[in-house]
Amino acid sequence: MKLCPVCGIELRPRVVYDIEIDQCPRCGGVWLDGGELNKLLTKVREYRNEYYSYEEFRAWEEEYKRRKKKGVFEFFEELFD
């Protein structure tokens, strides 16, 4: 049984991109075991490559960037760099 370092209550498993992570039901904190962050980043990059393989999404992303906002995948990459 893993406890939330913030709240002290039991963490609940949650599956994200086929990777089981631990989340606190009270504060919403997400806690990763060793190697899980790298697995998540790998999955995000895989989905990004698939996403950009479609011309309509790539065009939408370019228009979004032109308005000086970050794309969804760039947001997550910067968040975890």
Side-chain angles (χ1 to χ4, degrees):
M1 172 168 87
K2 296 178 186 176
L3 300 178
C4 176
V6 176
C7 301
I9 64 172
E10 186 175 354
L11 297 173
R12 292 188 183 151
R14 178 176 172 204
V15 177
V16 177
Y17 294 123
D18 299 324
I19 300 164
E20 188 175 292
I21 61 173
D22 301 308
Q23 184 172 21
C24 176
R26 181 181 291 162
C27 72
V30 175
W31 309 99
L32 305 174
D33 295 330
E36 288 177 342
L37 178 58
N38 288 333
K39 289 177 186 177
L40 283 171
L41 287 173
T42 299
K43 287 286 190 180
V44 166
R45 288 181 181 118
E46 286 174 14
Y47 287 122
R48 178 195 59 203
N49 293 338
E50 181 180 340
Y51 172 83
Y52 283 129
S53 70
Y54 299 103
E55 181 60 37
E56 64 188 76
F57 295 124
R58 192 168 39 245
W60 178 87
E61 187 84 10
E62 289 303 317
E63 175 63 23
Y64 193 75
K65 283 182 190 177
R66 194 171 59 77
R67 289 183 271 153
K68 301 189 187 238
K69 295 183 180 177
K70 293 183 175 144
V72 65
F73 295 108
E74 293 166 331
F75 171 79
F76 280 107
E77 285 179 342
E78 287 181 9
L79 182 65
F80 292 115
D81 272 346

